Structure formats: C-alpha cells, structure tokens
Amino acid sequence: MVLTSENPGPRPESRAERKEQTRRAILDAALRLCEGSSLVALSLRQVAKEVGIVPTGFYRHFESIEALGLALVEESFVSLREMLRDVRLHDPAYDDLIDSSIDVLIAHVHAQQAHFAFIAREREAGPPAVREAIARSIELFERELASDLQRLPGTDAWTTEDLRILSNLFVTALVATAVAVLHAGEEPEEEKRLVESARTQLRMVLVGALSWRSER
Amino acid sequence: MVLTSENPGPRPESRAERKEQTRRAILDAALRLCEGSSLVALSLRQVAKEVGIVPTGFYRHFESIEALGLALVEESFVSLREMLRDVRLHDPAYDDLIDSSIDVLIAHVHAQQAHFAFIAREREAGPPAVREAIARSIELFERELASDLQRLPGTDAWTTEDLRILSNLFVTALVATAVAVLHAGEEPEEEKRLVESARTQLRMVLVGALSWRSER
DNA sequence: TTGATGAGTGCACATCCGTACACTCAATGG
DNA sequence: CCATTGAGTGTACGGATGTGCACTCATCAA
C-alpha cells in the first residue's frame, strides 16, 4: 500500500484535524460539566480529565477557562442564528407567524439544550468577559429581529426605537419560555402548557403593540 | 454602677445578639463576595476570612454554603414582598398604575441591588436547592400579582389561567428591566432609556391583553 | 531524508479547599 | 456562685487546583 499525501493510510486524520477533534472534545466536555453549575465553578483539571488529556494539555487549545467560555458563546449564537434563519423561511404575512416561530424555538431548544442552558446561565453568572460577549450577541439578535419585524404589515410608520422596544420584549418573552421549557425537562404536558402560554403572551403583545401604536 | 439584667453594663449585647450579628456579617459577606460570580464558586473559607472568623466557625451558623444560599433567597424575597406592598399603596384604578409600579421597582432595585442581582444569577446558576427555592418564590410572587390584577377593571371575566399568563409576562418583563438597570449601573441616561422602554412594553401588554381578551 | 514543529506527557510546587478534633473562656441559668 | 453551654479558636489532614518546566515523538515541510 502506497502512502502519499492523498492517501495517508489507516490514520486518516492530519495533525490539524486531530487537534480540532481535541478542541471539540474540550468544548463538549466543558458544556457538559458546567450544566447544573456555572463556568465560574468549572476547573481546568475537571475538563482535562473528562477529555482524557493531562491538565497542562488544555493550554494548547485555550489560554484559560474564560477563553473557552468565549468560544462556547460564539458557538451558541451560531445555533441561535440558524434558528432565526429557520423562522424566516415562513411567509411573514401569515397569521400563524407566532405559532410557527414558537414551534421553531421549541425545536431548537430541544436540539440545542446545552447551548440554551449555557447562555441562560452565563449571561448572569459567567466571567465578566463572557457576560459582555453574551450581552453584545443578544443585542445583535434583537436588532436582527427588529429588522424582520419591520417587514410586517402595519409597522411601516414605526420608529427604529419602537421596533427595538418591541423586539426586546419578544426576545425577553421567548428566552423566558425557552428557559422554562428546559426546566420542564421531559414533561410533555407541562411543555404544552408553556407553549400555549407563550402563544397567548406573544399574541397579546402583538395585538397590543399594533393598537397601542395606532392610537398615537 | 449597678449591673442588673435590665442594665447589663458597657457590653450591651447578649450572647444571642452577638451570634445574630455574626450571622448577619456572614450573609452580607457572602452576598458581597459572590457578586460577579456565583454561589457555586464561593468558598466557605473566603466567607470566613471576609467576616473575620476562622473557617470552622462558619458551621456554628450554617451547615453549608448551600444552606447559606437558601437563607439569602429567603431574605431577598422578603424585600421583594415589601416592594409588592409598596405597589399596592397606590389606587389601582388610576391610569398611572404602570408608571408608579415601575417607579417602585426602580427604587427597590437601587435600594436592594445585591438582592436583585443575587436572585437573577442564582435562579439559573445556583446550587439545585437554591434554584428550586427561587423558582417556588417567583411562582408565588406571580400568583400574588395575578390576584392583584384581578381587581383591575376589565379583568372580571378572566379565568385564573389567563391571569397567571398575564402576570407571568409582567414579571418576566419587569425582571428583565430590573436586570438591565443593574447592568446599566451608574449611567442615568441609559437607565432613563430602560425605564421608558419598560413603560412602553407594559402599556403594550396591558392594551393587548385587554383588547385581545375582549375579542374572544 | 532530515530537521523543525507542536500536541500531548509527567512531575513538581505552592496554594486553596472542606472538615475533623480538641480547645478556650465569657455569657448564661439554676 | 458554680456548672453548663456554645461561639469562636488553632492545628492538622488529604485532596483539588493552576501552572511552570523539561520531555517525547508523530507529523510535516523542505
């Protein structure tokens, strides 16, 4: 069997690929280990042990737990951005906009449990740099949602500030729902109740925003 | 100078009073030390050093950091209950109900910064028992608010469930505002923006809830 | 083929952690 | 007045933590 750069033999991974695998393993291990507590209570040695490398090996990938946290924030918001994209796949003029948005949210919460729980925790409890990164990303997320809302019929005359206020309320309510669904865990009937509640809340907000706005 | 039980002399504190003072010092120290991180990253030794007692002395007052956390939850919600009482001092029929509620909230956030920050952090990041205690207390708080809302004109025909959904949204929005105000710190113009935003949001919700409800 | 690179190792160290145990000695109540 | 109580002390321990340093040896570019 000839070993060339195209056919590297029984160990197909390049050096860089192997490093990337370890990096992934570290990220996954950290996400798993800090469930139920927080990044600030996570030690480098725990992570290393979970991954199966020696403590000092950690430094080949991150310079600190805080830096690891920033990478996890990045990653989490990539998945959130995918969620927004899924929401946009629907025609925004339809009446079921709220229903479909919540469905997409719930699906993503289930698919990305760990990421949602991570940002919900660390936005308040994480290391300062992590908290700031999350705050920045959420603000960005709200701005994106605001520009989506702008395309809804009935919001043409709204100011940018009004749209920000509305999308802030939406995000707040949706985050609260996501967290509640996470806490509900594997209790389908409780989750159903939460989803129904979120539906009602968003409808109230939407109706209120439109009529309140038209009164001015 | 005669020393009697009514006149204990130059050291007026009884044994129990001195113990209570130390207990308070421990609670205050813990609240101060876990600002910017979390209970789960707080060590018994740090607390003891801050208070000025030896580590093992801690056990005379709490059996663990988690037990200390439960006491802090208790304390925090006492101050929240006082806030609700202040809100109720206003005539609920007035149009400025939302304004006055937000004013009361902001005043309490400033007066009880540490308590607000504590529950905002630990409800997601704290030890399991602490998280559960906070969840229970918030639920109770929502129920109280719901029964207050019931006395508002226009909500007579609402079901209990509807009231719970509405008060849940109110609490969610108010907590988000409180947290944002805390993060704004000493920036009056930013805080003013946040308060104005909260006002708008609550009005939208109230208007929406009333009109959405009457449509059914 | 060979020399450089760098992911992961192994050991050492000082520091922090929770907690067990025996103690002191002022306040307390009978 | 005197025996009891209990808040706070002091020492000591085994284990976890972050990190410095010298190392190996597979991979990779030249």
Side-chain angles (χ1 to χ4, degrees), chain A residues 29-162:
Chain A
L31 209 48
R32 206 175 322 123
L33 286 172
C34 77
E35 279 193 60
S37 65
S38 162
L39 259 193
V40 295
L42 183 65
S43 77
L44 171 161
R45 284 181 112 104
Q46 285 174 55
V47 176
K49 178 178 287 186
E50 178 84 0
V51 172
I53 61 176
V54 94
T56 48
F58 177 91
Y59 293 116
R60 296 284 178 196
H61 303 273
F62 301 98
E63 71 167 4
S64 64
I65 289 285
E66 180 170 312
L68 200 182
L70 291 176
L72 283 173
V73 172
E74 199 80 18
E75 209 177 59
S76 298
F77 276 93
V78 167
S79 88
L80 271 178
R81 211 158 291 280
E82 287 169 7
M83 186 182 83
L84 249 192
R85 190 204 52 198
D86 285 3
V87 169
R88 271 192 276 260
L89 290 180
H90 287 262
D91 187 326
Y94 279 146
D95 181 45
D96 70 347
L97 176 120
I98 285 175
D99 287 14
S100 68
S101 296
I102 292 179
D103 289 347
V104 171
L105 175 74
I106 300 298
H108 270 81
V109 167
H110 282 145
Q112 307 288 342
Q113 280 201 29
H115 281 158
F116 270 91
F118 176 78
I119 66 160
R121 274 197 320 271
E122 309 305 333
R123 83 181 146 155
E124 289 301 324
V130 170
R131 285 207 296 254
E132 283 156 23
I134 293 176
R136 255 198 313 277
S137 295
I138 288 186
E139 217 172 303
L140 216 83
F141 190 87
E142 281 177 11
R143 247 195 286 272
E144 274 195 54
L145 180 60
S147 83
D148 279 12
L149 287 175
Q150 200 161 23
R151 297 188 198 99
L152 278 183
T155 63
D156 322 294
W158 289 39
T159 67
T160 307
E161 181 64 7
D162 281 339

Side-chain angles (χ1 to χ4, degrees), chain B residues 78-92 97 100-109 111-112 141 144 148:
Chain B
V78 166
S79 89
L80 272 179
R81 210 159 293 279
E82 286 169 6
M83 186 181 83
L84 249 192
R85 189 204 52 197
D86 285 4
V87 168
R88 270 192 275 259
L89 289 180
H90 287 262
D91 188 328
L97 176 120
S100 69
S101 297
I102 293 180
D103 289 348
V104 171
L105 174 74
I106 300 298
H108 270 81
V109 168
Q112 306 288 343
F141 190 87
E144 275 196 54
D148 279 12

